[in-house]
Amino acid sequence: MIDEYDAFVEKIKIKTGIDLSLYKQSQMQRRLTSLYEKKGFSSFFEYYRAMNSNNELLEEFLDRMTINVSEFYRNYQRWDILEKKILPTLVKGKTDLKVWSAACSTGEEPYTLAMVLSTFFPLSRISILATDLDEKVIEKAKIGFYDERSLQEVPVSMKNKYFQQRGTGYLLDEKIKKTVVFQKHNLLSDSFPKNVDLIVCRNVLIYFTDEAKHALYEKFSRALAPGGILFVGSTEQVFTPQKYGFETADTFFYRKVKTI
């Protein structure tokens, strides 16, 4: 079974450019086995052969492989620290910030960033790069329509200011949507932007192997401007930040203090 999965990983890398070996094998293998069994296949070999001739099956596979769970102001206390402790230092003497929301899923994270930054800058001076591997979630993010569950941690003032109820969901204000530029991007293989002031990459690194995480921390460090901040998820603490040229600015916030 392991040999078969390894062969599947190699074929997927050749076909799509996505290297599944950089994801934790037990989690990824379990997720994909469940998927192919639901589709009526009995092996990775059968599943790949079917995907090779059925683009819809391939798209479904790519969608399942990526992790798309998000909500606005997820883990609200962390966003409160970003707004009240991290950003006042980061914005000092600046008229704007270069911001990247990596693995942005359906857009809740970069749009939350825009709302938080709106307390420091006019919306016209806010521009956030938001990237994800999954083109379907990027298209959904661009629409900016969300259900009630996604908004449960949004402060009332922000909800009233930037959302309009439409039936059972909420439509995000165009002024916030215009602050975010979405692009397809593979964290594991594509090049990173440079001289970024704030990188937010939350709740995705936990799915990668230790080797992949190490490489990503190095790439994030090189992407940050001196004094720039990396903001990670609440299960993704960097235990040796100095190895990557970071110091701990607060729990789950890391400041670049030297070039590696």
Side-chain angles (χ1 to χ4, degrees), residues 73 95-97 99 110-129 157-158 160-163 172-181:
Y73 288 86
T95 56
D96 57 27
L97 288 181
V99 181
Y111 290 140
T112 298
L113 272 168
M115 287 186 274
V116 171
L117 286 168
S118 73
T119 64
F120 295 89
F121 302 113
L123 289 177
S124 61
R125 291 220 304 267
I126 297 171
S127 181
I128 297 162
L129 172 64
S157 60
M158 291 296 184
N160 291 339
K161 189 173 183 179
Y162 292 124
F163 292 91
L172 184 64
D173 192 291
E174 283 294 322
K175 293 192 294 292
I176 288 289
K177 285 166 64 177
K178 284 179 180 175
T179 66
V180 181
V181 176

Side-chain angles (χ1 to χ4, degrees), residues 202-239:
R202 307 179 73 223
N203 308 304
V204 66
L205 296 174
I206 54 170
Y207 298 103
F208 296 141
T209 63
D210 288 340
E211 291 79 9
K213 277 192 273 196
H214 171 72
L216 284 172
Y217 288 140
E218 288 189 337
K219 289 167 80 173
F220 282 136
S221 181
R222 293 189 188 108
L224 284 166
I229 293 286
L230 172 65
F231 176 19
V232 300
S234 296
T235 55
E236 298 170 327
Q237 196 163 351
V238 183
F239 292 105

Side-chain angles (χ1 to χ4, degrees), residues 14-66:
I14 293 166
K15 186 172 183 65
T16 69
I18 294 167
D19 190 350
L20 294 177
S21 70
L22 297 173
Y23 292 79
K24 289 180 179 174
Q25 182 174 324
S26 59
Q27 292 178 353
M28 184 57 71
Q29 191 168 346
R30 189 163 56 245
R31 185 181 302 126
L32 295 179
T33 300
S34 171
L35 179 60
Y36 79 58
E37 286 176 347
K38 282 179 184 173
K39 290 290 164 186
F41 301 109
S42 60
S43 68
F44 280 106
F45 175 75
E46 274 187 25
Y47 186 38
Y48 179 80
R49 190 169 57 184
M51 274 197 293
N52 217 20
S53 57
N54 184 329
N55 204 52
E56 192 175 313
L57 209 57
L58 178 62
E59 289 294 322
E60 186 179 12
F61 156 75
L62 292 171
D63 188 53
R64 178 60 65 93
M65 198 209 72
T66 54

